[in-house]
Amino acid sequence: MNEALWALGRGTGVVSLALFTVSVLLGILNRSGRPLFTLPRFSVALVHRNVALLATAFLAIHLVTLFGDSYAQLRLVDFVVPFLGAAKPFWLGLGTLAVDLMLAIVITALLRGVVGVRVFKAVHWLTYLMWPVALLHSIGNGTDVGQTWFIAFAATCSIAVVAALVWRLSRGFIEYQNVRVERAS
Amino acid sequence: MNLRTPEARGPAAALLHIDWTRCDGRGLCTEILPELLARDDWGYPLAYGYGSAGAGSNVPVPDTLLAAAADAVSLCPRQALTLVDP
Ligand code: HEM
Ligand code: SF4
C-alpha cells in the first residue's frame, strides 16, 4: 500500500509540474494578446485557467498521497510552513513554498473581480518565482532524478519556459506593439 | 443577419462600458462580440456603425448580445469592461 501511495505521489507530482509548465506557457501567450493557431484569444485565456486548475488538482493528490508515505515523514505543518521537514528539509521546503505561492496565485486569479487588477497582477507575477521553485523541489526531492526520462522531462520543461521568457522580454511580444510604437514616434 | 449597424441591432438592453485607462487592446472582446466590435489600427475595440470615432466609452448592446457581452466582461484580461444600464 505504501509503495502504491509513493508511486502515485511521484506520478502526480510529475503530472502537476508538466501541467503548470503548460499553464505558464499559455499565460505568457495570453499576455501577448495573440491567438494560438486557430484557437481564439478568449479560448487561450480559458485553457490557461483550466490547465492551472487541473495542475492544482494533481498537486492536491500529490500532497495527500505523500502524507501517507512513511519515508517522507510529513506532518500537517509541512504543507503550510516551509523548511521544517524531517527528511530533506530544504528541498521539501521549496515544495511547501511553491504550494503557498500557488494557492495565493490561484485564489487571487479566481477572485480577480473581488481583489482588483492591481492585486491580481502583483500576485500573478509570483508565478515567475513559483515555477522555478517547484522545479527545484522536484529535482531536489524527487526519487527519479537520476532517471533519464526525468532528466529529459525537466530539461524539456525548462527549455520551454526559458524560451517563452525570452519571447516575453523581446520587442514585438505584444500583438500590436510595433504599430503602436511606430505611430507614436 | 448583419448586425453591424446600430439600427439593425435595435434598442440597447445595456451599455458596454470600456474603461480606456485599463483597456490594452488585447482583442478578446472583439472576438466574443464580432457583430458589435471591430479592432482599430492599434488593436483597440471600436463599435461598428458609429464612424471612425466608434460609440465612445459606452457601446449600446442589444438583448441578443447580452450574454456574449457578459462573457466579454468576465474574460477581459484587464477588467476594463462593465455592463451598465442604458
Ligand atoms: C487558476 C486560475 C488562473 C486564472 C483565472 C489566470 C488568469 C490569467 C490572466 C487573465 C492572465 C493575463 C494577465 C494579463 O494579460 O494582464 C494570466 C497571465 C499569466 N498566468 Fe495565469 N491564471 C491562473 C492561474 C495561473 C497559474 C497557477 C499560473 C502558474 C503556473 C499562471 C501563470 C501565468 C503567467 C506566467 C502569465 C503571464 C504573466 C505576465 O507575464 O504578465 N496562471 N493569467
Ligand atoms: S478584452 Fe479588455 S483589454 Fe482587451 S480589447 Fe477588450 S476591453 Fe480592451
Side-chain angles (χ1 to χ4, degrees), chain A residues 30-33 35 40-43 45-46 112-114 116-117 120-121 174-176 179-180 183, chain B residues 22 24-32 39-44 73-80:
Chain A
N30 189 193
R31 178 67 183 80
S32 81
R41 296 165 184 81
F42 61 86
S43 306
L46 286 171
R112 224 145 55 88
V114 181
V117 232
F120 161 69
K121 278 259 79 170
I174 301 290
E175 194 181 19
Y176 279 74
V179 197
R180 290 179 191 165
R183 303 252 179 130
Chain B
R22 289 187 170 186
D24 193 27
R26 298 285 182 73
L28 275 82
C29 56
T30 42
E31 282 175 335
I32 298 171
R39 293 182 91 174
D40 71 8
D41 288 349
W42 293 272
Y44 293 92
V73 170
S74 66
L75 279 169
C76 168
R78 308 286 291 214
Q79 293 176 251

Side-chain angles (χ1 to χ4, degrees), chain B:
Chain B
M1 192 171 57
N2 183 3
L3 288 177
R4 292 193 170 173
T5 62
E7 295 73 33
R9 290 194 288 263
L15 297 174
L16 184 65
H17 178 73
I18 306 173
D19 179 345
W20 295 111
T21 63
R22 289 187 170 186
C23 173
D24 193 27
R26 298 285 182 73
L28 275 82
C29 56
T30 42
E31 282 175 335
I32 298 171
L33 293 161
E35 302 90 344
L36 200 59
L37 302 171
R39 293 182 91 174
D40 71 8
D41 288 349
W42 293 272
Y44 293 92
L46 184 67
Y48 280 114
Y50 297 94
S52 60
S57 303
N58 292 300
V59 182
V61 181
D63 205 31
T64 46
L65 295 179
L66 212 48
D71 287 344
V73 170
S74 66
L75 279 169
C76 168
R78 308 286 291 214
Q79 293 176 251
L81 299 173
T82 37
L83 278 173
V84 293
D85 287 333

